[in-house]
Structures are given as C-alpha cells and as structure tokens.
Amino acid sequence: MIQKLGHKIDLKPSRVSLDRLSPEPGPFAMSYGFELAPLINSLQNIGLVNNPIVTEGEGGAIHIVTGFRRIAAFRAMGKESIGCRMCIQDAIAPPDALLINFFDNLTTRQFNPVEKAMALTRLARYFPREEILARYMSLLDLPLHASVLDTYLSFERDLDESMKQALARGTISESTATALLELVPEERKVVASLFLKLTFNINQQKQLIELLYDNSRISGTSIAEMLEAKPFRDILATPSMNRPQMARTLLALFRSRRFPRLNRAEEVFKKRVAKLQLPPEARIQAPPYFESEIYRMEISFRNGKDLKGVIDHLAKIERLRQFKNPWEEGA
Amino acid sequence: MMVGFPINRILVEEGVEKYRLFSRISRKTKGIPQFRKKESGYAAAENPDMGKKTLHLLEYSGDILKPCPGTKNHICCGYQILNVAMNCPLDCSYCILQSYFNQPNLRVFVNLEERLEEIFSLIDRNPDRIFRIGTGEFTDSLALDPLIGWTDILVPPFSNRKNAILELKTKTCNIKRLAALPERKQIIISWSLNSPLISSREEHQAASLRQRLETAALCQSEGFIVGFHFDPLIPHPNWRDEYLRTLDLMDRYIDPGRVIWISMGSFRFMPQLKTVIRKRHPHTTVLDGEFISGLDGKMRYFKPIRMELYRFMREHLEAWYDDLGLYLCMESDDVWSKTLGWSPGNTEGLSQFLDGRVKKFFG
C-alpha cells in the first residue's frame, strides 16, 4: 500500500505477462535513452528487489506506473512475465500515477534532457502551466521561465527519434536542439543527420546551425540545397580527412561564405605575415576580428642571448615597417 | 484619435491618479479602457506584440537623468537621457529596445513633472557646464506627444536655461504641439534618417523619409534648430545610391546652416537581440551583414565595412555643406581618425565638440 496526496492506494501483488505490457513508456513513465546492461546484471545477480507498479487502464490495458526499465530489462532477458504490484481498479487517478513515477525517478537518478521533456509534457496534461513553472521546473533543475518550458515541450513534440537519441546521449546539447528547432522540419533533419555523421563539438554545432541559417537566408538557397552542392560533397568525399577534420573544413567553408570580407582579411594577414619571413621564434597575432588596433608579437626564447638574437633578426626585416591592416594597401 | 499609434488599453498602476499628467492623459484617452491591478485586463501583453498598443502609466523612482549608456573602448557623446518613458510604439526591426528592457508595454512615467525639479536644480547649480539632454533614447520623443504632452511640460523650462538643451529625437511628424509653443531657444528637434530602402522595409510605423524631412523643413521655417542621426547605418544592396537618395532629399528640404549636428553610427546590438529580431521580424535583412563581436561585446560590422560607410557618408555630407557638426556614435579613436579625418580622442573631447556646437547655435 502507498499513501499519496492524502489517500491510500491499495496495491495487490500480481504476476503480469510481458505481452500485456507495452514496450513504450506510456502515459506515466519517463525513461529514455538508458543502458539496460547494468540493470540486467543486477537482476541476474540479486533478482528483482522492488516490483514495478502497474495499473489497469481503459479497455483492460495495463499501464506502467513505475518500473519501466525493470520491465524492459526482463523483456531483454527473455522472461515471459514479471511480478508487479497492481493498483486496484479506480484506486489511482492518472495525475497521481504520473506523480508517483515522477517522484520515484527523481529521488533515484538524473533525468536526461529528453526525459525532462517527457516529464514536462506528461505533467502539462494534468497540471496548469503556472503550477508546472512554479513547482516542477526547479525539481528538474530548469530555470523557471515560460520560454524554457516551451522549449522542452517542443523537444518532446518536434524532435524526431534520431534527434532525441542524440540529445539523450549528449551528442547534441540542449542549446543545439533549441537552435535546430528554429529550422523548418526538413532542414532540421538534414542538419541533425550531419551531426550524427561527422564529429562536431557542441560549440561547432551551434556555429554550424547559425552559419547555415544565415547563409541560407542571405543566398535564398535552402539548407538542404547548400548541403547537396559540390563543395560540401567534395569535403565529405575527401578520403584523407577524418570526421573532425571534415567538420572543421565544413565550418570554414560556410564561415568564408558568411563573412567574405573578414575571411579575405584573414587570408591577406596570413600571406603578409608569411612574406615577412619572421624567425621561427617570433609570431604575429592579429587582434580578434581585427577590431582593436593592436597586434601582438610573441617571441619564444630560452635566455637573454636567444632573445637578443631574435630581436636583431627582427630589426633587419625592412618589410616590418610596411606592416598594415589587411584591408589597407601595404606589404 | 489623432496620435497615429493605436492604443487599445491603458494599465494604471496604484497611486498614479494623484498626478496631473495622469489626469491629462486620461482626458485625452477617453474611450480607451483603463485597467487597474487585479482586473482581468491587466495581464501582460503576449509576445510578439510587446505591448505596443498598451499604455502603461506608472511612477518612476529611479534616476530620471542618466548618462547615455556608452560602452568601453568607444567614444561616447556625453549625452544625458531624460527618462520619460520606456519602449516605443514604432516597430523598427533593428530596435535595440526589443531586448534592452524585459518589461512590455509603452511605460509612461506620470510623475515626470514632480521629478523635473531635480534636473533643473542640477542644471542651475552648474552654470558653467552644458547639459545636452534628450528623451529619445528609450522611446521616440514625439510619437506619443499628442497623447502625453511631453513638449508642453519640458520645452518651456528648458528654453529658459542657457546651459542646457533639450533634444527631441523622432521618426514621426508629431510636431503640432511643439510648434504651437512660443519657445524655440535651447530646443533641438532631430530625426533619425536612413536609406529609403531601410526606412520603408525596416522602420515599421515610422513616417516616410520624405515626411520626416518635410517636417524638419517646417520646423526650420518655424525657427527651430534641427539635427539628424544616421543611426543605424546599414549596408545593403546598392546602399551607396540609396543613401545618396536620402542626401538628395535633405538637399531639397533642409537648410544645412541651421543643422546643429549629424551623427552617424552603424548597426550594433547585444548578441541576444538577434534571436528576438528573427522571431519578431522574420523577413528582415538587417542581420545579413558581416557582424563580429566588438570590443564591448556588442555585435558590429567588421571594421573596414563601418569605415567605408562613414567615409562615404562624410564625403557626401561635407560636399553638401562643410559645417554640419558630423560625429560618430560609439566608435573608437582610430575609426574616427581614419574616416572623419580627426578624432576628439575621448568622450570628454567629443562632449566639448558638441558643447561648442550648442554655443554656436544658441549662444
């Protein structure tokens, strides 16, 4: 028997055939993207310590209130049935079943972003928005902002299976998923598949979405068309590049299109520095985006004699006098 | 209603009924429903409207006069903002106010008259200092003037002081109340200008460029000193020809000898504004430029692009008239030197330059 929200819920031990339990989480469970192996190992060694709670819904369907993972593990182990605790008919209202699952999980584990989205979506079926914001967001370690709630509801509603898996695994971050949601569904799919194909870090993912979005808008070409074009296909077909290299090259390609003048300035700067033929111990760094007037020269040396040698070398490089901003005529 | 900006409800905060300005606004807005706190109509306006049709009347207890929020590493004009309201009924796609304030509605401070004494006492205590004060930073200075009557409140006392000017910045033609007043001294009416393309596509609800310049000409003929602000300059296809069209219009309507200053600034914004603009103005092109993260953390055009804009504008403005009081808004010393051919060096230097313009025009 469990006591919840001021009333008792009677539970009856019951053996339930796994055929009667859906492999999907159903209306109350909020588990996604988990590893079964550790749980199977535990079940094989010490058996089922805590029996799942199930309830009978309309038409005789059995819904899982708690223990979705345990049931999935039993199924993976080839079992035919599992010992459950069955709520007696009509004894448990759906919002109560949902809260039992929510708090049961909350006390034992961290939710991944997809699970947070599942939890909020299910809570939104039964509780007003204000209550979700005030009471449940903080329990999920989320800021109490309506926009954050909307984003998570959108994760559950609008992300397809492959994107949800990537989000649950951490292959894409919440901010990447949020940025993906700003794209139309077809483009979202194309970009997400790129993230699964190549190796982008989280920062690169955000940059790429931003670059693709902007380039697409400015050129009037869809993201899908841009990703089918030759330069992009050439990168993917370069056998000498590994996946992170391909990702970096791809970013550079779209960055050069988005920022043609900055890109040109960076190239001119590199060429001009190369022409200076600096000693290997010295290098010139441009200010970020050439915004400040101040360039830096870095000299590596072991001792004063080394340093003097490098300085003497630099003093003889006449071209240094003509060194200018890359957009200005000069050496 | 003649205001031109449809107000469909008025929110009234507690304790504001005692102010004269509240009573005047209430008389002017008869027929528009008013809501007090706890009444159902009081709820915040939903995005993306940002409450542009909601007049929100409240007291302001913060600093009513504050220095322009200049940013580090850039030269600021040393202008002081008289905080009469927050948010604007115009809906320019590039407007920084979209992310600057986190509160919706056209928030008008009805205790303005009661707070003015603080400002004038400060001005009067510092007779050797020139106060360049404006109301056009957090709202349009004249858009709501037909309803609020800011000019009736502010123009007479400013006009009486030799060491202060009031600059009313606008993109509207709402000068009727202002022109009906007898005062002209120490008052500057200035218009934000842009290329015809940017103006028509991105400055929603604003008067057309021609209307603005016709109104500026009317103000000049009525004895007012005017100013102009090319801010934000936005490069776009054919931008040189487009900006020249604006300069042609200026030449047609404006007496350049009675222009106190013309500022130039290129489009810059805090990074978070980008998402807001995309959501609120999905068809805008103002985000298409090559923006980099500036020294102050704001997004700005890559420096040579900014310099190209300023050089071009300077060349053509100075060809029109060589004493326009040209200055740059929020630019660095090197950009000043390389585009305008001189630099005030720092904020104090620019303040002195602009104070000098005030003395030249108002004595």
Side-chain angles (χ1 to χ4, degrees), chain A residues 186-228:
Chain A
E186 305 78 56
E187 301 198 321
R188 190 184 305 153
K189 213 167 182 168
V190 176
V191 179
S193 72
L194 195 59
F195 291 153
L196 300 177
K197 204 182 295 176
L198 302 182
T199 309
F200 292 91
N201 65 35
I202 301 299
N203 194 28
Q204 288 172 329
Q205 288 172 359
K206 278 182 74 178
Q207 277 181 42
L208 183 67
I209 294 172
E210 200 65 23
L211 289 170
L212 288 172
Y213 184 92
D214 283 351
N215 279 318
S216 164
R217 270 190 49 92
I218 294 167
S219 66
T221 314
S222 75
I223 289 177
E225 281 172 317
M226 288 195 301
L227 294 179
E228 279 161 15

mmCIF file of all heavy atoms in Angstrom, chain A residues 186-228:
data_model
loop_
_atom_site.group_PDB
_atom_site.id
_atom_site.type_symbol
_atom_site.label_atom_id
_atom_site.label_comp_id
_atom_site.label_asym_id
_atom_site.label_seq_id
_atom_site.Cartn_x
_atom_site.Cartn_y
_atom_site.Cartn_z
ATOM 1 N N GLU A 186 12.223 19.819 -42.337
ATOM 2 C CA GLU A 186 13.069 19.107 -43.318
ATOM 3 C C GLU A 186 14.530 19.497 -43.123
ATOM 4 O O GLU A 186 15.431 18.647 -43.178
ATOM 5 C CB GLU A 186 12.673 19.448 -44.765
ATOM 6 C CG GLU A 186 11.204 19.219 -45.124
ATOM 7 C CD GLU A 186 10.297 20.328 -44.609
ATOM 8 O OE1 GLU A 186 10.546 21.493 -44.950
ATOM 9 O OE2 GLU A 186 9.353 20.029 -43.846
ATOM 10 N N GLU A 187 14.769 20.784 -42.899
ATOM 11 C CA GLU A 187 16.145 21.252 -42.746
ATOM 12 C C GLU A 187 16.724 20.764 -41.417
ATOM 13 O O GLU A 187 17.897 20.425 -41.324
ATOM 14 C CB GLU A 187 16.194 22.777 -42.834
ATOM 15 C CG GLU A 187 15.639 23.263 -44.161
ATOM 16 C CD GLU A 187 16.041 24.683 -44.503
ATOM 17 O OE1 GLU A 187 16.071 25.506 -43.586
ATOM 18 O OE2 GLU A 187 16.305 24.946 -45.687
ATOM 19 N N ARG A 188 15.878 20.714 -40.426
ATOM 20 C CA ARG A 188 16.301 20.228 -39.107
ATOM 21 C C ARG A 188 16.836 18.807 -39.234
ATOM 22 O O ARG A 188 17.879 18.451 -38.698
ATOM 23 C CB ARG A 188 15.068 20.240 -38.205
ATOM 24 C CG ARG A 188 15.343 19.992 -36.741
ATOM 25 C CD ARG A 188 14.043 19.938 -35.984
ATOM 26 N NE ARG A 188 13.220 21.124 -36.169
ATOM 27 C CZ ARG A 188 11.902 21.150 -36.061
ATOM 28 N NH1 ARG A 188 11.243 20.037 -35.783
ATOM 29 N NH2 ARG A 188 11.239 22.262 -36.231
ATOM 30 N N LYS A 189 16.135 18.025 -40.023
ATOM 31 C CA LYS A 189 16.512 16.619 -40.206
ATOM 32 C C LYS A 189 17.873 16.517 -40.904
ATOM 33 O O LYS A 189 18.738 15.728 -40.514
ATOM 34 C CB LYS A 189 15.438 15.931 -41.055
ATOM 35 C CG LYS A 189 15.239 14.500 -40.700
ATOM 36 C CD LYS A 189 13.969 13.994 -41.343
ATOM 37 C CE LYS A 189 13.783 12.546 -40.914
ATOM 38 N NZ LYS A 189 12.498 12.041 -41.227
ATOM 39 N N VAL A 190 18.053 17.341 -41.940
ATOM 40 C CA VAL A 190 19.304 17.303 -42.711
ATOM 41 C C VAL A 190 20.486 17.683 -41.821
ATOM 42 O O VAL A 190 21.530 17.015 -41.820
ATOM 43 C CB VAL A 190 19.226 18.294 -43.903
ATOM 44 C CG1 VAL A 190 20.534 18.343 -44.656
ATOM 45 C CG2 VAL A 190 18.101 17.913 -44.837
ATOM 46 N N VAL A 191 20.298 18.751 -41.038
ATOM 47 C CA VAL A 191 21.410 19.225 -40.192
ATOM 48 C C VAL A 191 21.696 18.215 -39.080
ATOM 49 O O VAL A 191 22.854 17.891 -38.795
ATOM 50 C CB VAL A 191 21.092 20.620 -39.600
ATOM 51 C CG1 VAL A 191 22.222 21.087 -38.703
ATOM 52 C CG2 VAL A 191 20.865 21.626 -40.718
ATOM 53 N N ALA A 192 20.632 17.678 -38.489
ATOM 54 C CA ALA A 192 20.839 16.703 -37.408
ATOM 55 C C ALA A 192 21.574 15.475 -37.928
ATOM 56 O O ALA A 192 22.454 14.934 -37.249
ATOM 57 C CB ALA A 192 19.502 16.312 -36.804
ATOM 58 N N SER A 193 21.250 15.064 -39.140
ATOM 59 C CA SER A 193 21.924 13.872 -39.677
ATOM 60 C C SER A 193 23.410 14.161 -39.901
ATOM 61 O O SER A 193 24.259 13.283 -39.766
ATOM 62 C CB SER A 193 21.251 13.393 -40.964
ATOM 63 O OG SER A 193 21.547 14.294 -41.996
ATOM 64 N N LEU A 194 23.711 15.430 -40.200
ATOM 65 C CA LEU A 194 25.116 15.823 -40.366
ATOM 66 C C LEU A 194 25.862 15.703 -39.027
ATOM 67 O O LEU A 194 27.006 15.255 -38.969
ATOM 68 C CB LEU A 194 25.144 17.266 -40.867
ATOM 69 C CG LEU A 194 26.444 17.792 -41.445
ATOM 70 C CD1 LEU A 194 26.882 16.960 -42.627
ATOM 71 C CD2 LEU A 194 26.264 19.243 -41.872
ATOM 72 N N PHE A 195 25.182 16.104 -37.954
ATOM 73 C CA PHE A 195 25.799 15.990 -36.625
ATOM 74 C C PHE A 195 26.063 14.533 -36.253
ATOM 75 O O PHE A 195 27.000 14.231 -35.524
ATOM 76 C CB PHE A 195 24.906 16.632 -35.554
ATOM 77 C CG PHE A 195 24.817 18.132 -35.657
ATOM 78 C CD1 PHE A 195 23.708 18.807 -35.197
ATOM 79 C CD2 PHE A 195 25.850 18.860 -36.221
ATOM 80 C CE1 PHE A 195 23.617 20.183 -35.291
ATOM 81 C CE2 PHE A 195 25.766 20.246 -36.320
ATOM 82 C CZ PHE A 195 24.653 20.899 -35.857
ATOM 83 N N LEU A 196 25.208 13.658 -36.753
ATOM 84 C CA LEU A 196 25.401 12.240 -36.431
ATOM 85 C C LEU A 196 26.500 11.639 -37.301
ATOM 86 O O LEU A 196 27.204 10.717 -36.895
ATOM 87 C CB LEU A 196 24.092 11.469 -36.622
ATOM 88 C CG LEU A 196 22.920 11.954 -35.749
ATOM 89 C CD1 LEU A 196 21.650 11.191 -36.057
ATOM 90 C CD2 LEU A 196 23.264 11.813 -34.270
ATOM 91 N N LYS A 197 26.646 12.228 -38.514
ATOM 92 C CA LYS A 197 27.619 11.672 -39.464
ATOM 93 C C LYS A 197 29.039 12.140 -39.145
ATOM 94 O O LYS A 197 29.988 11.365 -39.187
ATOM 95 C CB LYS A 197 27.225 12.140 -40.874
ATOM 96 C CG LYS A 197 27.741 11.237 -41.982
ATOM 97 C CD LYS A 197 27.370 11.777 -43.352
ATOM 98 C CE LYS A 197 25.868 11.786 -43.605
ATOM 99 N NZ LYS A 197 25.521 12.406 -44.895
ATOM 100 N N LEU A 198 29.188 13.430 -38.857
ATOM 101 C CA LEU A 198 30.525 13.979 -38.596
ATOM 102 C C LEU A 198 30.688 14.257 -37.096
ATOM 103 O O LEU A 198 29.736 14.148 -36.340
ATOM 104 C CB LEU A 198 30.723 15.282 -39.383
ATOM 105 C CG LEU A 198 30.566 15.176 -40.898
ATOM 106 C CD1 LEU A 198 30.842 16.510 -41.551
ATOM 107 C CD2 LEU A 198 31.485 14.116 -41.479
ATOM 108 N N THR A 199 31.911 14.633 -36.709
ATOM 109 C CA THR A 199 32.138 14.867 -35.278
ATOM 110 C C THR A 199 32.295 16.364 -35.010
ATOM 111 O O THR A 199 33.349 16.943 -35.274
ATOM 112 C CB THR A 199 33.403 14.117 -34.817
ATOM 113 O OG1 THR A 199 33.284 12.768 -35.260
ATOM 114 C CG2 THR A 199 33.540 14.161 -33.307
ATOM 115 N N PHE A 200 31.221 16.966 -34.534
ATOM 116 C CA PHE A 200 31.247 18.382 -34.158
ATOM 117 C C PHE A 200 31.182 18.473 -32.642
ATOM 118 O O PHE A 200 30.399 17.741 -32.018
ATOM 119 C CB PHE A 200 30.009 19.112 -34.694
ATOM 120 C CG PHE A 200 29.962 19.256 -36.187
ATOM 121 C CD1 PHE A 200 29.344 18.289 -36.965
ATOM 122 C CD2 PHE A 200 30.509 20.365 -36.810
ATOM 123 C CE1 PHE A 200 29.282 18.428 -38.341
ATOM 124 C CE2 PHE A 200 30.444 20.511 -38.188
ATOM 125 C CZ PHE A 200 29.832 19.533 -38.958
ATOM 126 N N ASN A 201 31.976 19.367 -32.055
ATOM 127 C CA ASN A 201 31.747 19.599 -30.635
ATOM 128 C C ASN A 201 30.532 20.520 -30.490
ATOM 129 O O ASN A 201 30.007 21.035 -31.489
ATOM 130 C CB ASN A 201 33.008 20.126 -29.929
ATOM 131 C CG ASN A 201 33.427 21.505 -30.433
ATOM 132 O OD1 ASN A 201 32.583 22.327 -30.768
ATOM 133 N ND2 ASN A 201 34.724 21.746 -30.485
ATOM 134 N N ILE A 202 30.117 20.728 -29.243
ATOM 135 C CA ILE A 202 28.867 21.463 -29.010
ATOM 136 C C ILE A 202 28.941 22.881 -29.588
ATOM 137 O O ILE A 202 28.001 23.364 -30.214
ATOM 138 C CB ILE A 202 28.574 21.527 -27.493
ATOM 139 C CG1 ILE A 202 28.447 20.110 -26.905
ATOM 140 C CG2 ILE A 202 27.337 22.360 -27.183
ATOM 141 C CD1 ILE A 202 27.353 19.263 -27.482
ATOM 142 N N ASN A 203 30.081 23.521 -29.390
ATOM 143 C CA ASN A 203 30.250 24.883 -29.887
ATOM 144 C C ASN A 203 30.189 24.916 -31.417
ATOM 145 O O ASN A 203 29.561 25.790 -32.021
ATOM 146 C CB ASN A 203 31.591 25.428 -29.376
ATOM 147 C CG ASN A 203 31.693 26.915 -29.558
ATOM 148 O OD1 ASN A 203 30.686 27.606 -29.572
ATOM 149 N ND2 ASN A 203 32.908 27.404 -29.709
ATOM 150 N N GLN A 204 30.822 23.933 -32.039
ATOM 151 C CA GLN A 204 30.806 23.869 -33.511
ATOM 152 C C GLN A 204 29.391 23.615 -34.030
ATOM 153 O O GLN A 204 29.010 24.121 -35.089
ATOM 154 C CB GLN A 204 31.744 22.759 -33.997
ATOM 155 C CG GLN A 204 33.224 23.089 -33.820
ATOM 156 C CD GLN A 204 34.109 21.900 -34.139
ATOM 157 O OE1 GLN A 204 33.738 20.748 -33.946
ATOM 158 N NE2 GLN A 204 35.312 22.181 -34.635
ATOM 159 N N GLN A 205 28.625 22.823 -33.288
ATOM 160 C CA GLN A 205 27.240 22.561 -33.720
ATOM 161 C C GLN A 205 26.452 23.865 -33.790
ATOM 162 O O GLN A 205 25.756 24.137 -34.773
ATOM 163 C CB GLN A 205 26.550 21.624 -32.722
ATOM 164 C CG GLN A 205 27.044 20.199 -32.780
ATOM 165 C CD GLN A 205 26.468 19.357 -31.647
ATOM 166 O OE1 GLN A 205 25.715 19.826 -30.806
ATOM 167 N NE2 GLN A 205 26.843 18.094 -31.630
ATOM 168 N N LYS A 206 26.581 24.664 -32.730
ATOM 169 C CA LYS A 206 25.844 25.937 -32.705
ATOM 170 C C LYS A 206 26.303 26.847 -33.833
ATOM 171 O O LYS A 206 25.504 27.490 -34.502
ATOM 172 C CB LYS A 206 26.046 26.633 -31.355
ATOM 173 C CG LYS A 206 25.123 26.101 -30.286
ATOM 174 C CD LYS A 206 25.298 26.815 -28.983
ATOM 175 C CE LYS A 206 24.704 28.209 -29.007
ATOM 176 N NZ LYS A 206 24.847 28.886 -27.694
ATOM 177 N N GLN A 207 27.633 26.882 -34.024
ATOM 178 C CA GLN A 207 28.175 27.723 -35.100
ATOM 179 C C GLN A 207 27.638 27.291 -36.457
ATOM 180 O O GLN A 207 27.248 28.111 -37.283
ATOM 181 C CB GLN A 207 29.691 27.586 -35.143
ATOM 182 C CG GLN A 207 30.429 28.465 -34.174
ATOM 183 C CD GLN A 207 31.931 28.247 -34.337
ATOM 184 O OE1 GLN A 207 32.460 28.152 -35.432
ATOM 185 N NE2 GLN A 207 32.612 28.130 -33.214
ATOM 186 N N LEU A 208 27.622 25.975 -36.679
ATOM 187 C CA LEU A 208 27.191 25.483 -37.987
ATOM 188 C C LEU A 208 25.724 25.827 -38.246
ATOM 189 O O LEU A 208 25.371 26.283 -39.343
ATOM 190 C CB LEU A 208 27.412 23.964 -38.100
ATOM 191 C CG LEU A 208 27.048 23.406 -39.479
ATOM 192 C CD1 LEU A 208 27.995 23.926 -40.562
ATOM 193 C CD2 LEU A 208 27.032 21.887 -39.497
ATOM 194 N N ILE A 209 24.889 25.620 -37.251
ATOM 195 C CA ILE A 209 23.460 25.927 -37.445
ATOM 196 C C ILE A 209 23.298 27.406 -37.790
ATOM 197 O O ILE A 209 22.575 27.781 -38.715
ATOM 198 C CB ILE A 209 22.637 25.578 -36.179
ATOM 199 C CG1 ILE A 209 22.659 24.075 -35.943
ATOM 200 C CG2 ILE A 209 21.198 26.059 -36.318
ATOM 201 C CD1 ILE A 209 22.047 23.644 -34.621
ATOM 202 N N GLU A 210 24.007 28.245 -37.040
ATOM 203 C CA GLU A 210 23.946 29.685 -37.252
ATOM 204 C C GLU A 210 24.408 30.039 -38.672
ATOM 205 O O GLU A 210 23.765 30.824 -39.373
ATOM 206 C CB GLU A 210 24.870 30.336 -36.216
ATOM 207 C CG GLU A 210 24.627 31.782 -35.924
ATOM 208 C CD GLU A 210 23.300 32.058 -35.272
ATOM 209 O OE1 GLU A 210 22.711 31.173 -34.636
ATOM 210 O OE2 GLU A 210 22.826 33.192 -35.450
ATOM 211 N N LEU A 211 25.527 29.450 -39.078
ATOM 212 C CA LEU A 211 26.073 29.751 -40.409
ATOM 213 C C LEU A 211 25.143 29.264 -41.512
ATOM 214 O O LEU A 211 24.904 29.968 -42.497
ATOM 215 C CB LEU A 211 27.450 29.095 -40.573
ATOM 216 C CG LEU A 211 28.590 29.704 -39.755
ATOM 217 C CD1 LEU A 211 29.832 28.812 -39.809
ATOM 218 C CD2 LEU A 211 28.930 31.105 -40.272
ATOM 219 N N LEU A 212 24.615 28.057 -41.340
ATOM 220 C CA LEU A 212 23.720 27.523 -42.367
ATOM 221 C C LEU A 212 22.462 28.370 -42.463
ATOM 222 O O LEU A 212 21.998 28.695 -43.560
ATOM 223 C CB LEU A 212 23.353 26.069 -42.035
ATOM 224 C CG LEU A 212 24.463 25.037 -42.226
ATOM 225 C CD1 LEU A 212 24.028 23.674 -41.677
ATOM 226 C CD2 LEU A 212 24.852 24.901 -43.695
ATOM 227 N N TYR A 213 21.931 28.743 -41.299
ATOM 228 C CA TYR A 213 20.704 29.544 -41.270
ATOM 229 C C TYR A 213 20.937 30.876 -41.987
ATOM 230 O O TYR A 213 20.171 31.275 -42.864
ATOM 231 C CB TYR A 213 20.292 29.775 -39.815
ATOM 232 C CG TYR A 213 18.981 30.510 -39.648
ATOM 233 C CD1 TYR A 213 17.786 29.823 -39.533
ATOM 234 C CD2 TYR A 213 18.948 31.909 -39.611
ATOM 235 C CE1 TYR A 213 16.584 30.502 -39.377
ATOM 236 C CE2 TYR A 213 17.750 32.591 -39.468
ATOM 237 C CZ TYR A 213 16.575 31.889 -39.344
ATOM 238 O OH TYR A 213 15.386 32.566 -39.207
ATOM 239 N N ASP A 214 22.018 31.559 -41.606
ATOM 240 C CA ASP A 214 22.291 32.879 -42.191
ATOM 241 C C ASP A 214 22.589 32.769 -43.682
ATOM 242 O O ASP A 214 22.057 33.532 -44.494
ATOM 243 C CB ASP A 214 23.472 33.543 -41.480
ATOM 244 C CG ASP A 214 23.082 34.123 -40.126
ATOM 245 O OD1 ASP A 214 21.871 34.159 -39.836
ATOM 246 O OD2 ASP A 214 23.974 34.524 -39.370
ATOM 247 N N ASN A 215 23.456 31.827 -44.051
ATOM 248 C CA ASN A 215 23.803 31.681 -45.473
ATOM 249 C C ASN A 215 22.568 31.357 -46.305
ATOM 250 O O ASN A 215 22.410 31.851 -47.425
ATOM 251 C CB ASN A 215 24.850 30.579 -45.666
ATOM 252 C CG ASN A 215 26.264 31.072 -45.372
ATOM 253 O OD1 ASN A 215 26.621 32.177 -45.757
ATOM 254 N ND2 ASN A 215 27.047 30.284 -44.680
ATOM 255 N N SER A 216 21.708 30.525 -45.747
ATOM 256 C CA SER A 216 20.504 30.142 -46.470
ATOM 257 C C SER A 216 19.611 31.360 -46.695
ATOM 258 O O SER A 216 19.115 31.600 -47.793
ATOM 259 C CB SER A 216 19.771 29.061 -45.664
ATOM 260 O OG SER A 216 18.464 28.917 -46.116
ATOM 261 N N ARG A 217 19.432 32.156 -45.650
ATOM 262 C CA ARG A 217 18.595 33.354 -45.759
ATOM 263 C C ARG A 217 19.171 34.356 -46.756
ATOM 264 O O ARG A 217 18.470 34.907 -47.593
ATOM 265 C CB ARG A 217 18.513 34.045 -44.393
ATOM 266 C CG ARG A 217 17.368 33.586 -43.524
ATOM 267 C CD ARG A 217 17.299 34.523 -42.342
ATOM 268 N NE ARG A 217 17.333 35.907 -42.814
ATOM 269 C CZ ARG A 217 16.259 36.621 -43.086
ATOM 270 N NH1 ARG A 217 15.069 36.098 -42.906
ATOM 271 N NH2 ARG A 217 16.368 37.859 -43.519
ATOM 272 N N ILE A 218 20.476 34.584 -46.633
ATOM 273 C CA ILE A 218 21.098 35.621 -47.461
ATOM 274 C C ILE A 218 21.123 35.201 -48.934
ATOM 275 O O ILE A 218 20.853 36.005 -49.823
ATOM 276 C CB ILE A 218 22.526 35.934 -46.948
ATOM 277 C CG1 ILE A 218 22.448 36.560 -45.550
ATOM 278 C CG2 ILE A 218 23.273 36.875 -47.904
ATOM 279 C CD1 ILE A 218 23.772 36.629 -44.814
ATOM 280 N N SER A 219 21.400 33.925 -49.176
ATOM 281 C CA SER A 219 21.532 33.483 -50.574
ATOM 282 C C SER A 219 20.201 33.054 -51.175
ATOM 283 O O SER A 219 20.087 32.870 -52.382
ATOM 284 C CB SER A 219 22.513 32.312 -50.650
ATOM 285 O OG SER A 219 21.963 31.195 -49.981
ATOM 286 N N GLY A 220 19.194 32.860 -50.334
ATOM 287 C CA GLY A 220 17.911 32.384 -50.843
ATOM 288 C C GLY A 220 17.967 30.916 -51.254
ATOM 289 O O GLY A 220 17.127 30.445 -52.020
ATOM 290 N N THR A 221 18.955 30.197 -50.756
ATOM 291 C CA THR A 221 19.092 28.765 -51.063
ATOM 292 C C THR A 221 18.753 27.984 -49.798
ATOM 293 O O THR A 221 19.150 28.382 -48.703
ATOM 294 C CB THR A 221 20.575 28.445 -51.420
ATOM 295 O OG1 THR A 221 21.032 29.439 -52.328
ATOM 296 C CG2 THR A 221 20.724 27.070 -52.015
ATOM 297 N N SER A 222 18.039 26.885 -49.962
ATOM 298 C CA SER A 222 17.682 26.135 -48.757
ATOM 299 C C SER A 222 18.925 25.443 -48.193
ATOM 300 O O SER A 222 19.906 25.201 -48.903
ATOM 301 C CB SER A 222 16.608 25.095 -49.077
ATOM 302 O OG SER A 222 17.192 24.012 -49.762
ATOM 303 N N ILE A 223 18.863 25.130 -46.913
ATOM 304 C CA ILE A 223 19.993 24.453 -46.269
ATOM 305 C C ILE A 223 20.232 23.106 -46.951
ATOM 306 O O ILE A 223 21.375 22.711 -47.197
ATOM 307 C CB ILE A 223 19.712 24.276 -44.758
ATOM 308 C CG1 ILE A 223 19.780 25.654 -44.073
ATOM 309 C CG2 ILE A 223 20.689 23.299 -44.114
ATOM 310 C CD1 ILE A 223 19.455 25.652 -42.602
ATOM 311 N N ALA A 224 19.148 22.426 -47.284
ATOM 312 C CA ALA A 224 19.302 21.125 -47.944
ATOM 313 C C ALA A 224 20.046 21.292 -49.265
ATOM 314 O O ALA A 224 20.956 20.515 -49.581
ATOM 315 C CB ALA A 224 17.934 20.504 -48.171
ATOM 316 N N GLU A 225 19.688 22.324 -50.032
ATOM 317 C CA GLU A 225 20.380 22.558 -51.315
ATOM 318 C C GLU A 225 21.859 22.864 -51.091
ATOM 319 O O GLU A 225 22.723 22.394 -51.835
ATOM 320 C CB GLU A 225 19.734 23.734 -52.057
ATOM 321 C CG GLU A 225 18.449 23.366 -52.766
ATOM 322 C CD GLU A 225 17.739 24.604 -53.319
ATOM 323 O OE1 GLU A 225 17.663 25.628 -52.601
ATOM 324 O OE2 GLU A 225 17.281 24.543 -54.453
ATOM 325 N N MET A 226 22.133 23.670 -50.053
ATOM 326 C CA MET A 226 23.545 24.010 -49.787
ATOM 327 C C MET A 226 24.345 22.759 -49.449
ATOM 328 O O MET A 226 25.495 22.610 -49.850
ATOM 329 C CB MET A 226 23.635 25.006 -48.628
ATOM 330 C CG MET A 226 23.155 26.386 -49.000
ATOM 331 S SD MET A 226 23.646 27.655 -47.812
ATOM 332 C CE MET A 226 22.910 27.075 -46.333
ATOM 333 N N LEU A 227 23.696 21.850 -48.727
ATOM 334 C CA LEU A 227 24.420 20.651 -48.303
ATOM 335 C C LEU A 227 24.480 19.589 -49.403
ATOM 336 O O LEU A 227 25.153 18.571 -49.252
ATOM 337 C CB LEU A 227 23.783 20.072 -47.038
ATOM 338 C CG LEU A 227 23.903 20.951 -45.788
ATOM 339 C CD1 LEU A 227 23.224 20.315 -44.589
ATOM 340 C CD2 LEU A 227 25.356 21.245 -45.448
ATOM 341 N N GLU A 228 23.766 19.840 -50.490
ATOM 342 C CA GLU A 228 23.877 18.913 -51.617
ATOM 343 C C GLU A 228 24.846 19.439 -52.669
ATOM 344 O O GLU A 228 25.168 18.747 -53.636
ATOM 345 C CB GLU A 228 22.501 18.710 -52.263
ATOM 346 C CG GLU A 228 21.643 17.702 -51.519
ATOM 347 C CD GLU A 228 20.172 17.845 -51.856
ATOM 348 O OE1 GLU A 228 19.853 18.513 -52.864
ATOM 349 O OE2 GLU A 228 19.359 17.310 -51.095
#
